[in-house]
Amino acid sequence: MPENIFSQWVRFMETVFRTGDLTRNKKINNRESRKNITSLKSYPTRCYLEITNQCNLRCPMCGQSWFEGKRSYIPDDILAKIREIYPYLEEINVFGFGESLVDKRFFNILADIPPHIRKKYVSNGLLINPEAAEKMIELQLHELFISLDSATEGTFQFVRGQKGFKRIIQNIQELTRLKKEKNSEYPIISLAYTFYRRNIEEFFQFIDLAHSLGIPRITGDYLIVYRPELEQESLFHEQEKANRLFPQFREKAAQLGIELIIPKTFDESAKEEASIEMIPCYEPWEFIYFRADGKIGPCCVNDIQLGDLNTMSFEEIWNGAKYQAFRKMVNTTRKDPNCAQCMGRGMRKLTERSFHIKFLDNKGNVIKGENTDHEQALSSGSGSPSL
């Protein structure tokens, strides 16, 4: 029997046997998180696997354009440690602070992920050439999100700082053609859009572009401003326009049969925010962020380091003192400044300036005195709480 067929059979049987592990783990995880148990018998069910924090772009709105830290590629021995929890994972997002296709091991890492795990990937789209497209289909990447943020070359050059719009469109067209040729459902392609003051009206064209490309889903979000030079691009300064246009975007997308996932308007949020209470966060139980340097974090928002796989085992980190203290804090005092501002869990009000504008220095720390609200919450530091 050829080795590749035998390997496929082994992986299939492993998936069959893992089904029970997945179900039991998720049930235990759900119980432990809802009861705020800090020492766990369960394992995370989702993760970010940041294989590199290197990127081929330096977009002005992204930390990649000013980040002064070390560029890393996740070591193979760290990947081996992460692989130990694959039997319990339902979803792996093969990305983080970087463009994963920069790493030549990307498809080997993707191939190593067992078939029971749903695989997702966010890309700027520039490196998805025909060869990469073939591999994405062959290895059954389930979901591909392409951040485009524009419907024209001119706007693309503003948000990306270089040319490349036409090449990305061609890459999407080729991937779509190959999917049809191979009768493949995957990867399901979504286009992503960041709303600036200068590109908000262009979103009508963006919806038409997605429709012409056969894209079934668009995701969009407000620009989060980290540098003073982009402050005037924030829709915090164009609230009436956002209130007026967002409903029109939803209507147009619905007419074209496109699933549109965008945030609430300022008016919609204002009606809800008065009654907002602390929303439970279960990420420190359900999710884990594996960084390219081997460090581990609890989510995709908080940069706190709860352990280091270079010197510790996963078990030592997962139920270590730092992780347990973080779990205890997150749904009680929630004094960590990044948790207190978490837009993912609704802790920052969309109508507040701090939701949209948070100036950072070159190391990713909040610049004190530059942000007009939440200064008290930030006074204890950025991502280094006393747990």
Side-chain angles (χ1 to χ4, degrees), residues 58 81 150 190 201 252 273 276 310 326 328 330 344 374:
R58 295 292 182 267
K81 290 184 178 182
S150 56
S190 300
E201 294 189 39
K252 181 179 180 72
E273 288 174 356
I276 285 181
N310 291 289
F326 192 89
K328 182 178 180 180
V330 73
H374 279 286

Side-chain angles (χ1 to χ4, degrees), residues 183-196:
N183 194 29
S184 175
E185 178 184 1
Y186 303 116
I188 297 171
I189 307 170
S190 300
L191 294 185
Y193 200 88
T194 302
F195 290 106
Y196 291 67

Side-chain angles (χ1 to χ4, degrees), residues 35 43 47 71 86 118 160 167 172 179 198 203 228 238 253 262 269 296 306 315 353 378-379:
K35 291 187 176 182
Y43 296 94
C47 80
R71 305 290 174 174
Y86 279 4
R118 190 167 186 84
R160 292 288 177 263
R167 191 204 311 179
I172 294 171
K179 281 178 58 180
R198 83 169 55 197
F203 193 67
E238 291 282 2
I262 58 175
S269 297
I296 280 182
L306 298 179
E315 293 285 351
R353 181 180 182 274
L378 294 169
S379 63

